[in-house]
PDB file of all heavy atoms in Angstrom:
ATOM      1  N   MET A 268    -211.418 -32.900 -32.338  1.00  0.00           N
ATOM      2  CA  MET A 268    -209.960 -32.800 -32.505  1.00  0.00           C
ATOM      3  C   MET A 268    -209.297 -32.828 -31.142  1.00  0.00           C
ATOM      4  O   MET A 268    -209.579 -31.996 -30.303  1.00  0.00           O
ATOM      5  CB  MET A 268    -209.622 -31.486 -33.221  1.00  0.00           C
ATOM      6  CG  MET A 268    -208.412 -31.617 -34.091  1.00  0.00           C
ATOM      7  SD  MET A 268    -207.888 -30.018 -34.697  1.00  0.00           S
ATOM      8  CE  MET A 268    -207.142 -29.353 -33.235  1.00  0.00           C
ATOM      9  N   SER A 269    -208.458 -33.778 -30.883  1.00  0.00           N
ATOM     10  CA  SER A 269    -207.859 -33.843 -29.556  1.00  0.00           C
ATOM     11  C   SER A 269    -206.417 -33.357 -29.572  1.00  0.00           C
ATOM     12  O   SER A 269    -205.884 -32.974 -28.554  1.00  0.00           O
ATOM     13  CB  SER A 269    -207.925 -35.279 -29.041  1.00  0.00           C
ATOM     14  OG  SER A 269    -207.289 -36.126 -29.969  1.00  0.00           O
ATOM     15  N   LYS A 270    -205.781 -33.413 -30.733  1.00  0.00           N
ATOM     16  CA  LYS A 270    -204.360 -33.072 -30.785  1.00  0.00           C
ATOM     17  C   LYS A 270    -204.124 -31.744 -31.485  1.00  0.00           C
ATOM     18  O   LYS A 270    -204.857 -31.356 -32.375  1.00  0.00           O
ATOM     19  CB  LYS A 270    -203.607 -34.155 -31.563  1.00  0.00           C
ATOM     20  CG  LYS A 270    -202.779 -35.063 -30.643  1.00  0.00           C
ATOM     21  CD  LYS A 270    -202.155 -36.185 -31.419  1.00  0.00           C
ATOM     22  CE  LYS A 270    -201.045 -35.697 -32.332  1.00  0.00           C
ATOM     23  NZ  LYS A 270    -200.418 -36.799 -33.060  1.00  0.00           N
ATOM     24  N   GLY A 271    -203.091 -31.073 -31.050  1.00  0.00           N
ATOM     25  CA  GLY A 271    -202.668 -29.888 -31.785  1.00  0.00           C
ATOM     26  C   GLY A 271    -203.467 -28.648 -31.450  1.00  0.00           C
ATOM     27  O   GLY A 271    -204.210 -28.592 -30.466  1.00  0.00           O
ATOM     28  N   PHE A 272    -203.331 -27.670 -32.319  1.00  0.00           N
ATOM     29  CA  PHE A 272    -203.912 -26.359 -32.058  1.00  0.00           C
ATOM     30  C   PHE A 272    -204.905 -25.948 -33.143  1.00  0.00           C
ATOM     31  O   PHE A 272    -204.756 -26.294 -34.303  1.00  0.00           O
ATOM     32  CB  PHE A 272    -202.802 -25.317 -31.985  1.00  0.00           C
ATOM     33  CG  PHE A 272    -201.856 -25.559 -30.837  1.00  0.00           C
ATOM     34  CD1 PHE A 272    -200.574 -26.032 -31.065  1.00  0.00           C
ATOM     35  CD2 PHE A 272    -202.265 -25.337 -29.530  1.00  0.00           C
ATOM     36  CE1 PHE A 272    -199.716 -26.270 -30.003  1.00  0.00           C
ATOM     37  CE2 PHE A 272    -201.415 -25.569 -28.468  1.00  0.00           C
ATOM     38  CZ  PHE A 272    -200.140 -26.036 -28.704  1.00  0.00           C
ATOM     39  N   LYS A 302    -205.883 -24.207 -28.103  1.00  0.00           N
ATOM     40  CA  LYS A 302    -206.243 -25.608 -28.313  1.00  0.00           C
ATOM     41  C   LYS A 302    -207.740 -25.743 -28.602  1.00  0.00           C
ATOM     42  O   LYS A 302    -208.510 -24.804 -28.420  1.00  0.00           O
ATOM     43  CB  LYS A 302    -205.937 -26.407 -27.029  1.00  0.00           C
ATOM     44  CG  LYS A 302    -204.470 -26.617 -26.774  1.00  0.00           C
ATOM     45  CD  LYS A 302    -204.267 -27.471 -25.547  1.00  0.00           C
ATOM     46  CE  LYS A 302    -204.686 -26.721 -24.308  1.00  0.00           C
ATOM     47  NZ  LYS A 302    -204.153 -27.261 -23.054  1.00  0.00           N
ATOM     48  N   SER A 303    -208.112 -26.951 -28.950  1.00  0.00           N
ATOM     49  CA  SER A 303    -209.514 -27.245 -29.195  1.00  0.00           C
ATOM     50  C   SER A 303    -210.347 -26.945 -27.946  1.00  0.00           C
ATOM     51  O   SER A 303    -209.951 -27.293 -26.835  1.00  0.00           O
ATOM     52  CB  SER A 303    -209.629 -28.722 -29.568  1.00  0.00           C
ATOM     53  OG  SER A 303    -210.945 -29.033 -29.838  1.00  0.00           O
ATOM     54  N   ASN A 339    -203.264 -26.524 -37.350  1.00  0.00           N
ATOM     55  CA  ASN A 339    -201.901 -27.054 -37.519  1.00  0.00           C
ATOM     56  C   ASN A 339    -201.327 -26.890 -38.919  1.00  0.00           C
ATOM     57  O   ASN A 339    -200.310 -27.500 -39.248  1.00  0.00           O
ATOM     58  CB  ASN A 339    -201.846 -28.544 -37.111  1.00  0.00           C
ATOM     59  CG  ASN A 339    -202.408 -28.755 -35.716  1.00  0.00           C
ATOM     60  OD1 ASN A 339    -201.969 -28.102 -34.774  1.00  0.00           O
ATOM     61  ND2 ASN A 339    -203.391 -29.620 -35.606  1.00  0.00           N
TER      62      ASN A 339
END
Side-chain angles (χ1 to χ4, degrees):
M268 212 189 75
S269 56
K270 254 175 70 178
F272 296 107
K302 288 183 292 198
S303 181
N339 307 306

